Amino acid sequence: MEFRKDHEIHTRRFRSNVMLGLVLCGFVALIFAITISKMMGGATMVEMEASDHVLRPQLLKDTQ
Amino acid sequence: MSDATATEYGNEAQFEDYFALLKPRVMSLVVFTAAVGLLVAPGSVDPVIAFASILFIAMGAGASGALNMWWDCDIDAIMKRTQNRPVPSGRITAHNAMVFGLWLSVISVGMLAITANFFAAGFLAFTIFFYSVVYTMGLKRRTPQNIVLGGASGAFPPMIGWAVVTGGVSIESLLMFALIFVWTPPHFWSLSLFLNSDFTKAGVPMLTVTHGKPTTRRYILGYTVLLTIVSLLAAFSSIGGPVYLAVAVVMNAQFLLGAWKLLNRSEAAAEADFFTAERKVFKLSLLYLALHFTALLVEAGLRALDLNVANWPQVV
């Protein structure tokens, strides 16, 4: 069975929806990046983890 | 497909129409000046925070653009230059433009408060208020000084960029403000010299409409002299330097020369060559601002690399 070809307005709306979707995804990514950079406060990941009380071998190696 | 369907949907708003509501060309100027304000400020911020802050300042500028298009849709429909904007052309309703503008204002101010600081966010809120309420709703249709005072809203972005880093105001950020503030009148008035019929038709009291073109030509020269003083003053501040001074001297000389030529032109001569000199000054004004801010950026780069001139005189 063959599907009916989309009306021109639907292809246009689809395009607009995709663009809006991309903008929203970009916004989510931006908020995530802001959150990470605020949490890190300029510190490296090892320094961040050093404040954690779970001692991991990798952390020991890095700080030695 | 019936013709009725074509009429009904043919004019439906697209993604690009909402983007056009943000006045992308104005926004690009805001992005540039805000970025320079942020980069020349003493101190530094995380690159992600800097990028996001500039994005939210641009979003705030876009919000005021949308609110301006909502309020001005009646006169936009009359002027040839603005007839094709999304609201007067019927692709977006005035109500939707308003809602879009208000939401963008709330989001941009809120996000800048979270990303940078409350001072910068408050400043952005004030800028949106100034452009949409004070300029668009208040001054634009009432006084020929609309451009002079309204220019403040376009001059705030570098101060907001500066505030993102420092959390405050200083003489340097005020100088960047003054540069755009004093530049705006000769920039717009040179435009209105050759777009006068549009403003007359829409009843916008531009100086060319209320006081005539010869007066406007005198005002352009007067403001260009004032602009030269502000521009040179900035050269002898902590954000200035020899590169900036060289750019300022060349550009101010050209702008002054252009304004002087405009003063000595008769209306008949201007109309005869289709306002060539007026268009030239308008284009020069765009280059003037772009080069001034680029020079400030170069000076900041030189300072960061320790290549700046030691003991550069600072009067402000």
Side-chain angles (χ1 to χ4, degrees):
Chain A
M1 192 184 110
E2 210 174 289
F3 287 107
R4 208 152 46 101
K5 195 172 176 290
D6 272 351
H7 189 288
E8 185 263 338
I9 187 65
H10 292 126
T11 48
R12 263 199 290 156
R13 278 179 185 166
F14 178 74
R15 212 180 124 264
S16 282
N17 289 341
V18 169
M19 301 278 263
L20 183 63
L22 288 175
V23 169
L24 292 176
C25 285
F27 192 60
V28 170
L30 184 69
I31 291 178
F32 181 70
I34 293 169
T35 310
I36 296 296
S37 80
K38 287 261 174 194
M39 275 169 53
M40 302 280 281
T44 63
M45 205 62 213
V46 172
E47 284 166 334
M48 279 285 288
E49 285 190 31
S51 63
D52 197 55
H53 26 260
V54 181
L55 198 62
R56 289 190 295 114
Q58 184 199 354
L59 194 63
L60 273 173
K61 202 178 81 191
D62 283 342
T63 48
Q64 267 166 11
Chain B
M1 186 180 83
S2 70
D3 285 344
T5 331
T7 323
E8 201 178 330
Y9 296 117
N11 218 15
E12 195 175 84
Q14 299 298 299
F15 183 82
E16 290 84 349
D17 293 318
Y18 277 95
F19 186 67
L21 273 187
L22 307 179
K23 296 196 175 181
R25 283 173 69 180
V26 176
M27 212 156 66
S28 61
L29 183 74
V30 168
V31 167
F32 179 56
T33 56
V36 172
L38 187 145
L39 291 168
V40 303
S44 63
V45 283
D46 187 282
V48 175
I49 302 297
F51 172 79
S53 300
I54 292 165
L55 196 75
F56 296 133
I57 297 170
M59 199 193 261
S64 22
L67 291 172
N68 170 277
M69 287 207 205
W70 154 63
W71 188 260
D72 274 350
C73 62
D74 55 337
I75 52 175
D76 279 354
I78 300 170
M79 294 194 284
K80 216 195 288 173
R81 188 173 64 95
T82 51
Q83 262 167 1
N84 209 25
R85 283 179 175 175
V87 180
S89 64
R91 295 194 299 276
I92 292 176
T93 62
H95 177 78
N96 279 0
M98 180 197 71
V99 173
F100 184 62
L102 286 177
W103 271 112
L104 275 189
S105 306
V106 172
I107 295 169
S108 59
V109 171
M111 287 307 298
L112 191 65
I114 296 168
T115 311
N117 53 61
F118 284 103
F119 183 80
F123 212 153
L124 180 65
F126 177 72
T127 306
I128 298 172
F129 168 80
F130 198 91
Y131 186 72
S132 336
V133 180
V134 178
Y135 170 69
T136 306
M137 298 179 189
L139 302 166
K140 191 173 175 180
R141 304 185 193 206
R142 288 203 176 89
T143 161
Q145 296 299 316
N146 48 14
I147 284 304
V148 180
L149 300 164
S153 44
F156 286 134
M159 286 186 83
I160 306 174
W162 183 280
V164 165
V165 182
T166 64
V169 176
S170 71
I171 188 75
E172 291 85 355
S173 72
L174 281 169
L175 277 170
M176 286 189 283
F177 167 85
L179 192 65
I180 306 180
F181 183 66
V182 185
W183 164 87
T184 309
H187 165 74
F188 264 102
W189 284 332
S190 60
L191 173 80
S192 71
L193 280 176
F194 58 90
L195 283 182
N196 196 30
S197 57
D198 251 4
F199 293 120
T200 315
K201 241 186 343 184
V204 178
M206 285 299 272
L207 198 64
T208 40
V209 178
T210 56
H211 291 69
K213 288 184 181 180
T215 310
T216 308
R217 289 171 192 278
R218 278 198 297 278
Y219 267 69
I220 289 177
L221 183 65
Y223 270 90
T224 311
V225 171
L226 203 63
L227 179 63
T228 307
I229 298 168
V230 174
S231 157
L232 293 176
L233 208 60
F236 301 103
S237 69
S238 74
I239 54 169
V243 176
Y244 174 88
L245 182 63
V247 169
V249 167
V250 173
M251 291 316 291
N252 281 296
Q254 289 201 37
F255 207 173
L256 280 170
L257 189 70
W260 178 254
K261 278 184 186 162
L262 290 195
L263 180 74
N264 294 311
R265 259 158 84 85
S266 68
E267 294 319 314
E271 274 169 37
D273 68 0
F274 300 104
F275 301 99
T276 311
E278 286 75 6
R279 284 173 206 274
K280 231 168 149 179
V281 170
F282 176 70
K283 276 186 192 159
L284 180 74
S285 69
L286 287 168
L287 188 68
Y288 177 98
L289 200 70
L291 286 184
H292 268 75
F293 274 82
T294 307
L296 288 177
L297 205 55
V298 171
E299 291 291 356
L302 292 175
R303 273 196 302 280
L305 296 169
D306 263 337
L307 293 171
N308 54 329
V309 176
N311 304 322
W312 179 256
Q314 287 179 22
V315 289
V316 284

